[in-house]
Amino acid sequence: KNEVEQSPQNLTAQEGEFITINCSYSVGISALHWLQQHPGGGIVSLFMLSSGKKKHGRLIATINIQEKHSSLHITASHPRDSAVYICALGAAGNKLTFGGGTRVLVKP
Amino acid sequence: GAVVSQHPSWVICKSGTSVKIECRSLDFQATTMFWYRQFPKQSLMLMATSNEGSKATYEQGVEKDKFLINHASLTLSTLTVTSAHPEDSSFYICSARSGQGMDTQYFGPGTRLTVL
């Protein structure tokens, strides 16, 4: 069993819809990261969480340490949000363990 | 936010040649840099952790003599793929840790290597 599981693997939404991506993990962590990878390959760090909830623009990330679960929400989705979203676990030594990613396509 | 650059962004080389990829932190000092590779439609795989002024720590299964890492300064780490073969074709990404705050990492834009 992988240490970190993301769901869904693929997601298609219409512009304006609310999107939720889930991340479950099975190990102790120091922080959980949400990353965005665009088709060109570049990666942007969206959030780093160790507890609670963070918001940046239309993006919201939450984490429940007890349940070992995190969610990334995109409100009022837009075609430019189309990307792969990756959950990554941060542990000792700052090594990251990556989830398989969720491929999001937002149609106009 | 902090910026990490990589050069080149893409490179095509002949089998048997060596290729050097640079990773620079442009506006902060990176105590630690990480090198990843990513195959199409797969997740990132950590290759090695590079600390300034010391030898890199390689992940299991990564050949240190094939993937040479040098972290000569707090703003520059290089990855050299030696005697490249077609199976080394991949997307290579670096990230840098600023050392400020817990586990903050900033990713470079990646380098696409194609070995003919």
Side-chain angles (χ1 to χ4, degrees), chain A residues 35-47:
Chain A
L35 311 171
Q36 180 192 55
Q37 186 171 30
H38 277 283
I43 292 178
V44 174
S45 181
L46 299 175
F47 295 103

Side-chain angles (χ1 to χ4, degrees), chain A residues 30 33 37 48 94-95 99, chain B residues 38 43 97 102-103 105:
Chain A
S30 56
H33 301 250
Q37 186 171 30
M48 183 180 69
N94 298 300
K95 290 184 179 182
Chain B
Q38 185 181 35
S43 194
R97 180 173 179 264
M102 182 180 61
D103 296 344
Q105 287 192 35

